Amino acid sequence: GPSTAQAAWVDRFLRHCAENHVPVDFVSSHVYANDSAHDVFGTNESIPRTQMVCRAIHKVHDQVAASALPALPIIWSEYNASYKNEPDVTDSIFMGPWLADTIRQCDGLVDMLSYWTFSDVFEEQGVVKQPFYGGFGLIAEDGLPKPSFNAFKLLHRLGDRRLAEASDSALVTRRADGRLVIAIWNESLPDQAGESKAIVLHVKGFNGRHQAAIYRVDSTHGSLMSAYASMGKPIYPTQKQIIQLRRAAEMPPPESQAFNHGEIKLILPPKGLALLELK
């Protein structure tokens, strides 16, 4: 099946396939979080980039369900927080909470959700002229992992069974080994400073004393952007600086925190993402 942009033409495409007996294996489209409501929905709404991707996916999901071919898989072949070069968006720690919340919202609406793209170095925008230019990639020039890369690395620890939760800033899962794994985040828009949040989790079934391993991605964990700024944001980093930046991007070991009777307390900094493995 062909892929469309901005969640367009899916209903008409499926109608054509059904009426003309055209074989089709899947539906595919893409959207970016800063696409306009006018282009995606034909409205004049102001949809924040924290909601656009999954609203567009919901539109296509509903169109497929209402079509003569309701069982077709939906492959979302491109998405990102921006289609422009916005370093404060795609190079920043904003991506951790944004990715987690996008996955939370889109779960169950799509068969495949494919982030565009793996590397900042690709042919579409020509030769890369500086390490961080707001590119689409998870990894910048010189093999430098951006916060988005570490956010995916952290979220990869989630289980494959999602459990119900009452929060719009958490994902609660169970892994195959039975361990409970929770992602929780403190989201704010890129142009907002945000505030730290004190979080209290109440987890049923954990009587007595237990341990939580806490992994984090924020301004001081799994992000090289502060180190890059302290170097004066060199356009041409030296080999020594590249090594320093790679080290700064490394995920630190998890914190170990004791908790009693299922109550866990932690502080999430602005635009912070944390993952808790409960033992």
Side-chain angles (χ1 to χ4, degrees):
S3 180
T4 73
Q6 297 176 327
W9 305 328
V10 169
D11 51 351
R12 283 162 282 179
F13 169 70
L14 292 179
R15 187 164 57 248
H16 171 84
C17 291
E19 291 174 353
N20 294 278
H21 307 290
V22 178
V24 58
D25 296 312
F26 58 88
V27 167
S28 182
S29 191
H30 66 255
V31 80
Y32 286 80
N34 57 335
D35 276 320
S36 73
H38 180 269
D39 289 338
V40 179
F41 300 104
T43 68
N44 293 318
E45 300 172 81
S46 178
I47 300 175
R49 74 171 82 226
T50 53
Q51 297 178 20
M52 173 58 79
V53 168
C54 294
R55 281 191 56 176
I57 288 175
H58 213 303
K59 168 189 168 182
V60 170
H61 176 272
D62 290 349
Q63 288 175 338
V64 173
S67 76
L69 301 165
L72 284 179
I74 300 172
I75 297 175
W76 212 262
S77 53
E78 285 186 38
Y79 80 102
N80 204 318
S82 177
Y83 63 82
K84 300 178 180 177
N85 295 141
E86 297 183 88
D88 290 341
V89 179
T90 49
D91 293 343
S92 75
I93 57 171
F94 164 77
M95 295 301 293
W98 184 83
L99 283 165
D101 196 43
T102 297
I103 291 167
R104 177 191 69 84
Q105 293 179 60
C106 294
D107 180 36
L109 299 176
V110 64
D111 295 88
M112 186 182 297
L113 189 60
S114 180
Y115 184 88
W116 180 261
T117 185
F118 188 74
S119 173
D120 272 352
V121 183
F122 62 105
E123 82 289 347
E124 187 173 336
Q125 294 182 314
V127 176
V128 174
K129 298 178 176 63
Q130 61 189 68
F132 302 102
Y133 64 95
F136 296 109
L138 300 173
I139 295 180
E141 184 188 28
D142 295 315
L144 299 173
K146 302 199 296 192
S148 54
F149 178 89
N150 282 328
F152 270 121
K153 189 174 182 179
L154 183 152
L155 293 169
H156 189 65
R157 303 187 72 88
L158 287 168
D160 57 5
R161 180 185 172 196
R162 184 176 176 184
L163 307 180
E165 82 288 322
S167 174
D168 61 1
S169 57
L171 276 166
V172 181
T173 69
R174 191 177 298 281
R175 286 207 306 238
D177 61 7
R179 183 164 294 179
L180 202 65
V181 187
I182 302 171
I184 192 161
W185 54 90
N186 181 4
E187 187 174 37
S188 57
L189 292 171
D191 59 352
Q192 297 172 346
E195 297 180 350
S196 293
K197 285 187 177 180
I199 306 293
V200 181
L201 300 176
H202 297 278
V203 186
K204 296 179 181 178
F206 280 79
N207 299 316
R209 188 175 176 85
H210 295 269
Q211 290 290 128
I214 305 174
Y215 300 81
R216 296 178 183 265
V217 173
D218 52 46
S219 61
T220 57
H221 300 80
S223 174
L224 48 63
M225 300 313 297
S226 294
Y228 183 62
S230 70
M231 295 175 179
K233 299 184 177 180
I235 293 177
Y236 302 108
T238 65
Q239 285 300 309
K240 181 179 179 180
Q241 288 174 323
I242 290 168
I243 292 170
Q244 291 172 339
L245 289 170
R246 287 177 184 161
R247 287 175 180 164
E250 292 177 358
M251 292 280 287
E255 307 162 21
S256 182
Q257 179 175 316
F259 64 97
N260 293 310
H261 305 296
E263 182 176 281
I264 307 169
K265 298 179 180 179
L266 69 157
I267 303 294
L268 281 180
K271 299 178 177 61
L273 169 65
L275 182 130
L276 294 78
E277 295 180 349
L278 308 188
K279 303 177 183 179

